[in-house]
Amino acid sequence: MSKVPSLIEELAKPIVEELNLELVDVEFVKEGRNWFLRVYVDTPEGGIDIEQCAQVSERLSLLLDENDPITQNYYLEVSSPGAERPLKKDADFEKAIGKFIYVKTYEPVKDMKEFQGYLTSYDEHTLVIEVRIKTRKITVTVEQEKIALARLAIDF
């Protein structure tokens, strides 16, 4: 099952690129008794409409029927990644510099495993986040391999 997202990425990428969209993420998850293939797409500028999702869904569905890479029954969902889109690729982190993000780590960094703050810099090995703790701001450097989850967040 772990190979399914990468197989689907290979099928979806040409479709998404032809429509001038960005492939953000692919998930293949079981929820209850059902399997879901979720494909998240966006525009390079951010913001996608239902018509664009429908175009990707229709074209990808035809390809999936032809290639049949998934043996069990599943539901195909094509949607926007939303305001709290995941940050996975280098390009995602680079675009997120200056934005408010949420990061969860596998192990504690500065005695914490969860951070919300502004991404001030990024390179392929580390993130630097300015985090507010009560009335003070601290700078936290997180190594890429320690990141369990990273996504954009909404600052209230």
Side-chain angles (χ1 to χ4, degrees), residues 54-71:
Q55 285 181 314
V56 173
S57 180
E58 289 168 11
R59 292 176 67 182
L60 182 58
S61 184
L62 289 173
L63 259 182
L64 291 168
D65 288 346
E66 287 173 19
N67 292 288
D68 203 19
I70 303 172
T71 56

mmCIF file of all heavy atoms in Angstrom, residues 54-71:
data_model
loop_
_atom_site.group_PDB
_atom_site.id
_atom_site.type_symbol
_atom_site.label_atom_id
_atom_site.label_comp_id
_atom_site.label_asym_id
_atom_site.label_seq_id
_atom_site.Cartn_x
_atom_site.Cartn_y
_atom_site.Cartn_z
ATOM 1 N N ALA A 54 -12.764 18.874 -10.763
ATOM 2 C CA ALA A 54 -13.542 17.929 -11.559
ATOM 3 C C ALA A 54 -12.770 17.497 -12.806
ATOM 4 O O ALA A 54 -12.801 16.308 -13.169
ATOM 5 C CB ALA A 54 -14.882 18.548 -11.943
ATOM 6 N N GLN A 55 -12.066 18.439 -13.450
ATOM 7 C CA GLN A 55 -11.275 18.093 -14.632
ATOM 8 C C GLN A 55 -10.199 17.059 -14.283
ATOM 9 O O GLN A 55 -10.017 16.076 -14.994
ATOM 10 C CB GLN A 55 -10.596 19.332 -15.213
ATOM 11 C CG GLN A 55 -11.514 20.242 -15.969
ATOM 12 C CD GLN A 55 -10.745 21.428 -16.515
ATOM 13 O OE1 GLN A 55 -9.954 22.056 -15.822
ATOM 14 N NE2 GLN A 55 -10.988 21.729 -17.786
ATOM 15 N N VAL A 56 -9.494 17.307 -13.178
ATOM 16 C CA VAL A 56 -8.450 16.367 -12.757
ATOM 17 C C VAL A 56 -9.076 15.021 -12.419
ATOM 18 O O VAL A 56 -8.589 13.970 -12.833
ATOM 19 C CB VAL A 56 -7.647 16.923 -11.555
ATOM 20 C CG1 VAL A 56 -6.684 15.874 -11.018
ATOM 21 C CG2 VAL A 56 -6.901 18.194 -11.943
ATOM 22 N N SER A 57 -10.178 15.039 -11.687
ATOM 23 C CA SER A 57 -10.843 13.810 -11.267
ATOM 24 C C SER A 57 -11.276 12.969 -12.470
ATOM 25 O O SER A 57 -11.025 11.755 -12.512
ATOM 26 C CB SER A 57 -12.060 14.141 -10.399
ATOM 27 O OG SER A 57 -12.709 12.963 -9.998
ATOM 28 N N GLU A 58 -11.896 13.603 -13.454
ATOM 29 C CA GLU A 58 -12.378 12.863 -14.630
ATOM 30 C C GLU A 58 -11.220 12.249 -15.403
ATOM 31 O O GLU A 58 -11.265 11.071 -15.777
ATOM 32 C CB GLU A 58 -13.180 13.792 -15.537
ATOM 33 C CG GLU A 58 -14.520 14.173 -14.951
ATOM 34 C CD GLU A 58 -15.192 15.322 -15.690
ATOM 35 O OE1 GLU A 58 -14.730 15.703 -16.798
ATOM 36 O OE2 GLU A 58 -16.182 15.847 -15.163
ATOM 37 N N ARG A 59 -10.189 13.023 -15.644
ATOM 38 C CA ARG A 59 -9.063 12.527 -16.432
ATOM 39 C C ARG A 59 -8.264 11.466 -15.673
ATOM 40 O O ARG A 59 -7.856 10.463 -16.241
ATOM 41 C CB ARG A 59 -8.181 13.698 -16.851
ATOM 42 C CG ARG A 59 -8.926 14.584 -17.867
ATOM 43 C CD ARG A 59 -8.179 15.802 -18.258
ATOM 44 N NE ARG A 59 -6.990 15.455 -19.004
ATOM 45 C CZ ARG A 59 -6.115 16.343 -19.442
ATOM 46 N NH1 ARG A 59 -6.314 17.621 -19.227
ATOM 47 N NH2 ARG A 59 -5.046 15.965 -20.102
ATOM 48 N N LEU A 60 -8.063 11.687 -14.376
ATOM 49 C CA LEU A 60 -7.333 10.712 -13.571
ATOM 50 C C LEU A 60 -8.128 9.418 -13.434
ATOM 51 O O LEU A 60 -7.574 8.324 -13.502
ATOM 52 C CB LEU A 60 -6.994 11.296 -12.197
ATOM 53 C CG LEU A 60 -6.192 10.407 -11.270
ATOM 54 C CD1 LEU A 60 -4.860 9.985 -11.906
ATOM 55 C CD2 LEU A 60 -5.927 11.121 -9.950
ATOM 56 N N SER A 61 -9.427 9.529 -13.294
ATOM 57 C CA SER A 61 -10.277 8.346 -13.174
ATOM 58 C C SER A 61 -10.155 7.456 -14.415
ATOM 59 O O SER A 61 -10.055 6.228 -14.299
ATOM 60 C CB SER A 61 -11.731 8.782 -12.973
ATOM 61 O OG SER A 61 -12.552 7.665 -12.764
ATOM 62 N N LEU A 62 -10.128 8.067 -15.586
ATOM 63 C CA LEU A 62 -9.950 7.295 -16.826
ATOM 64 C C LEU A 62 -8.607 6.574 -16.842
ATOM 65 O O LEU A 62 -8.526 5.403 -17.190
ATOM 66 C CB LEU A 62 -10.061 8.212 -18.041
ATOM 67 C CG LEU A 62 -11.453 8.746 -18.370
ATOM 68 C CD1 LEU A 62 -11.377 9.787 -19.492
ATOM 69 C CD2 LEU A 62 -12.384 7.609 -18.751
ATOM 70 N N LEU A 63 -7.549 7.277 -16.437
ATOM 71 C CA LEU A 63 -6.213 6.668 -16.389
ATOM 72 C C LEU A 63 -6.150 5.530 -15.381
ATOM 73 O O LEU A 63 -5.520 4.507 -15.633
ATOM 74 C CB LEU A 63 -5.169 7.724 -16.012
ATOM 75 C CG LEU A 63 -4.327 8.319 -17.114
ATOM 76 C CD1 LEU A 63 -3.312 9.298 -16.543
ATOM 77 C CD2 LEU A 63 -3.640 7.282 -17.951
ATOM 78 N N LEU A 64 -6.785 5.732 -14.243
ATOM 79 C CA LEU A 64 -6.797 4.688 -13.218
ATOM 80 C C LEU A 64 -7.536 3.452 -13.713
ATOM 81 O O LEU A 64 -7.118 2.325 -13.445
ATOM 82 C CB LEU A 64 -7.420 5.213 -11.921
ATOM 83 C CG LEU A 64 -6.598 6.250 -11.168
ATOM 84 C CD1 LEU A 64 -7.428 6.906 -10.068
ATOM 85 C CD2 LEU A 64 -5.339 5.628 -10.591
ATOM 86 N N ASP A 65 -8.622 3.663 -14.447
ATOM 87 C CA ASP A 65 -9.362 2.526 -15.013
ATOM 88 C C ASP A 65 -8.507 1.778 -16.023
ATOM 89 O O ASP A 65 -8.521 0.537 -16.066
ATOM 90 C CB ASP A 65 -10.656 3.003 -15.673
ATOM 91 C CG ASP A 65 -11.709 3.440 -14.663
ATOM 92 O OD1 ASP A 65 -11.541 3.135 -13.463
ATOM 93 O OD2 ASP A 65 -12.678 4.104 -15.071
ATOM 94 N N GLU A 66 -7.756 2.508 -16.845
ATOM 95 C CA GLU A 66 -6.896 1.884 -17.859
ATOM 96 C C GLU A 66 -5.740 1.115 -17.226
ATOM 97 O O GLU A 66 -5.433 -0.002 -17.625
ATOM 98 C CB GLU A 66 -6.299 2.940 -18.791
ATOM 99 C CG GLU A 66 -7.258 3.537 -19.775
ATOM 100 C CD GLU A 66 -6.629 4.696 -20.547
ATOM 101 O OE1 GLU A 66 -5.386 4.804 -20.590
ATOM 102 O OE2 GLU A 66 -7.399 5.491 -21.100
ATOM 103 N N ASN A 67 -5.065 1.736 -16.251
ATOM 104 C CA ASN A 67 -3.859 1.151 -15.665
ATOM 105 C C ASN A 67 -4.139 0.211 -14.500
ATOM 106 O O ASN A 67 -3.328 -0.658 -14.205
ATOM 107 C CB ASN A 67 -2.908 2.263 -15.200
ATOM 108 C CG ASN A 67 -2.342 3.009 -16.375
ATOM 109 O OD1 ASN A 67 -1.512 2.489 -17.097
ATOM 110 N ND2 ASN A 67 -2.815 4.232 -16.593
ATOM 111 N N ASP A 68 -5.238 0.430 -13.795
ATOM 112 C CA ASP A 68 -5.669 -0.409 -12.681
ATOM 113 C C ASP A 68 -4.555 -0.706 -11.656
ATOM 114 O O ASP A 68 -4.272 -1.870 -11.349
ATOM 115 C CB ASP A 68 -6.249 -1.708 -13.229
ATOM 116 C CG ASP A 68 -7.203 -2.374 -12.253
ATOM 117 O OD1 ASP A 68 -7.685 -1.687 -11.338
ATOM 118 O OD2 ASP A 68 -7.434 -3.583 -12.405
ATOM 119 N N PRO A 69 -3.912 0.336 -11.088
ATOM 120 C CA PRO A 69 -2.805 0.104 -10.162
ATOM 121 C C PRO A 69 -3.224 -0.267 -8.736
ATOM 122 O O PRO A 69 -2.391 -0.651 -7.930
ATOM 123 C CB PRO A 69 -2.077 1.451 -10.165
ATOM 124 C CG PRO A 69 -3.169 2.444 -10.406
ATOM 125 C CD PRO A 69 -4.135 1.765 -11.323
ATOM 126 N N ILE A 70 -4.512 -0.164 -8.428
ATOM 127 C CA ILE A 70 -4.992 -0.432 -7.067
ATOM 128 C C ILE A 70 -5.955 -1.613 -7.114
ATOM 129 O O ILE A 70 -6.940 -1.591 -7.849
ATOM 130 C CB ILE A 70 -5.687 0.812 -6.469
ATOM 131 C CG1 ILE A 70 -4.730 2.009 -6.475
ATOM 132 C CG2 ILE A 70 -6.190 0.534 -5.063
ATOM 133 C CD1 ILE A 70 -5.362 3.328 -6.089
ATOM 134 N N THR A 71 -5.652 -2.633 -6.317
ATOM 135 C CA THR A 71 -6.443 -3.865 -6.378
ATOM 136 C C THR A 71 -7.782 -3.782 -5.643
ATOM 137 O O THR A 71 -8.761 -4.369 -6.086
ATOM 138 C CB THR A 71 -5.640 -5.051 -5.821
ATOM 139 O OG1 THR A 71 -5.214 -4.753 -4.490
ATOM 140 C CG2 THR A 71 -4.447 -5.362 -6.696
#
